[in-house]
Amino acid sequence: MNIAVNNQVSQLAPFSAQQWQSGEHQLVCVEKWHETHDVISFRFQGAQPVKFHFKPGQFLTLLLDINSETVARSYTISSSPSRPYSIVLTVKRIAGGKVSNYLAEHLQVGDVVTALGPAGAFNLVDIPANKYLFLSAGCGITPMYSMSRWLSDTEMAPDISFLHSAKSNKDLIFETAIAQMAERSADFKLNYILEELGIFGNIGTSAKYTDKQAGRLNAENLARLVPDFKARTVFVCGPEPYMNAVKTLLQSLDFDMSQFHQESFASVNADKAELESDNEQHQSDLADTSGFMLSIGDKRRVLSSEQTLLDGIEAEGLPIIAACRSGVCGACKCKVVEGKVDSSSQMTLTAEEIAAGYVLACSSKLTSDVTLEL
């Protein structure tokens, strides 16, 4: 009898769950599966019952202990807030990448992770539209999937053109789920552009949505597959070269770039940047004797005009969370007590925080001697 009562209480707990707010949370991995050969999804629930509330397209930041080192990495939420009792992150493995491979090999069902968030201005709430064009490549499909699921769950026949680029159909993430959304609505227009058609171009769930001409996105196939693209609000996410190419393409086609919105954060780029960094050269650069003085407590370090506050903070071994390293996630917020900096991003900072002297360390460079407070 007691067991039955306890089970009932456990089953009813989600209905009284608190809403997930921005901040630090403990999440439990409850499911793990492969989307493709090198892409894995992880489903999380709160360590305590919680309703996940976020804007479709936003991301969260995982704080992981890897070899006794705390590493932060941000990932777009691939699930939708219309399904609020769990949250899904989808991660592409990068050869040699510290975090993506750690998650793939070591994060298991039942494990608890610390997460910060949600964050990100690339979302459907802050960027309203009537007609959508989602352009993505590779793992850049994750925010587009979240947005599509949200629109499909909450609106009657949302007008969506979804154009995704991939190497082959074996690299299509969320293939079945996206096809189901397209099948259920005549206003959901799905197309895939594959670099390699091969024998796989005409089989599988995606076959009817795959352009019969192999290649990459260009002016011809964009106009053919989405004839009214100029009348749509464009959301773009993918590897940096892809996003740059799409922007250049649309500019050349006289698209109204006020309707162009590009994701400025990608966790894959963080892993790649980590692999490509030269630590010895980095330390040499930090030892440069020209520039301005950064003071943090009893720590002093001269930074050149090309180095960020984050460079100096990390060189001194001081604790700071730096996830996106591109001025988006807001995790590296700190306060300038004295002096001046030049900041290329103030995303996630409120007007009150900016007035109080808060900056993003990854996006700020010294223009005078500075005293900083972490």
Side-chain angles (χ1 to χ4, degrees):
M1 183 66 174
N2 289 338
I3 293 177
V5 171
N6 289 338
N7 285 343
Q8 185 178 26
V9 171
S10 176
Q11 292 166 1
L12 293 176
F15 290 96
S16 59
Q18 295 295 312
Q19 183 168 287
W20 191 50
Q21 300 293 335
S22 180
E24 183 174 309
H25 305 273
Q26 298 297 306
L27 305 181
V28 180
C29 180
V30 297
E31 194 175 2
K32 174 182 179 179
W33 67 94
H34 274 270
E35 300 285 356
T36 70
H37 61 98
D38 61 354
V39 176
I40 300 173
S41 283
F42 301 87
R43 185 183 302 278
F44 297 93
Q45 292 179 337
Q48 300 296 322
V50 64
K51 293 180 181 177
F52 293 99
H53 182 69
F54 58 94
K55 300 172 183 178
Q58 288 191 308
F59 60 87
L60 58 79
T61 300
L62 297 182
L63 304 181
L64 304 166
D65 185 355
I66 303 177
N67 298 325
S68 300
E69 176 188 358
T70 299
V71 180
R73 191 71 85 243
S74 298
Y75 292 99
T76 302
I77 302 167
S78 55
S79 53
S80 167
S82 54
R83 304 179 180 198
Y85 293 103
S86 67
I87 198 165
V88 179
L89 301 181
T90 300
V91 179
K92 179 181 175 62
R93 295 190 70 164
I94 302 298
K98 176 189 291 186
V99 179
S100 63
N101 285 284
Y102 173 84
L103 292 172
E105 296 168 9
H106 297 287
L107 183 60
Q108 303 299 331
V109 172
D111 289 348
V112 177
V113 298
T114 300
L116 298 174
F122 183 77
N123 64 77
L124 291 187
V125 176
D126 295 328
I127 309 172
N130 294 318
K131 299 177 67 174
Y132 302 88
L133 172 53
F134 295 150
L135 297 174
S136 59
C139 218
I141 198 172
T142 52
M144 309 312 186
Y145 179 66
S146 177
M147 293 176 181
S148 296
R149 176 60 69 189
W150 167 258
L151 291 170
S152 296
D153 285 350
T154 61
E155 292 190 17
M156 292 297 292
D159 193 334
I160 301 170
S161 280
F162 196 127
L163 182 53
H164 180 68
S165 299
K167 185 174 182 179
S168 74
N169 77 331
K170 293 185 292 183
D171 300 288
L172 294 177
I173 307 169
F174 313 128
E175 179 182 6
T176 300
I178 294 177
Q180 289 174 343
M181 285 188 275
E183 290 288 342
R184 292 169 182 166
S185 173
D187 294 309
F188 191 119
K189 306 170 189 68
L190 173 63
N191 286 285
Y192 291 116
I193 297 176
L194 304 181
E195 292 182 38
E196 302 173 2
L197 286 176
I199 62 172
F200 298 104
N202 298 310
I203 64 175
T205 306
S206 62
K208 66 181 291 186
Y209 302 108
T210 299
D211 189 38
K212 301 310 176 185
Q213 299 179 27
R216 298 184 177 184
L217 181 65
N218 56 43
E220 184 278 325
N221 54 33
L222 175 61
R224 174 165 49 83
L225 298 174
V226 191
D228 64 344
F229 72 91
K230 288 188 177 182
R232 296 180 176 273
T233 299
V234 172
F235 292 77
V236 180
C237 188
E240 201 71 29
Y242 169 82
M243 293 193 293
N244 291 339
V246 171
K247 184 176 183 178
T248 299
L249 172 62
L250 290 175
Q251 288 173 330
S252 73
L253 297 174
D254 295 323
F255 181 79
D256 178 2
M257 298 305 288
S258 69
Q259 298 303 306
F260 175 89
H261 305 280
Q262 175 177 310
E263 174 63 291
S264 56
F265 147 80
S267 61
V268 169
N269 290 341
D271 252 353
K272 284 184 176 178
E274 183 176 52
L275 291 173
E276 294 168 357
S277 67
D278 185 329
N279 290 327
E280 292 184 359
Q281 181 62 48
H282 181 65
Q283 293 301 325
S284 174
D285 290 343
L286 290 174
D288 189 355
T289 57
S290 63
F292 297 108
M293 179 68 72
L294 174 64
S295 301
I296 310 170
D298 61 353
K299 303 289 187 180
R300 303 286 186 274
R301 177 166 287 267
V302 175
L303 297 184
S304 74
S305 61
E306 296 304 313
Q307 292 173 295
T308 65
L309 292 177
L310 182 59
D311 289 330
I313 295 167
E314 291 184 328
E316 290 296 333
L318 296 171
I320 189 167
I321 297 170
C324 72
R325 311 182 82 90
S326 59
V328 180
C329 74
C332 62
K333 179 175 66 176
C334 53
K335 185 176 182 179
V336 174
V337 178
E338 186 176 349
K340 296 181 179 181
V341 301
D342 179 29
S343 296
S344 59
S345 173
Q346 296 178 317
M347 292 178 68
T348 76
L349 295 177
T350 66
E352 292 77 13
E353 287 174 328
I354 294 171
Y358 284 95
V359 299
L360 301 179
C362 70
S363 305
S364 299
K365 300 176 180 179
L366 303 187
T367 57
S368 74
D369 293 344
V370 163
T371 299
L372 196 68
E373 181 181 291
L374 299 182

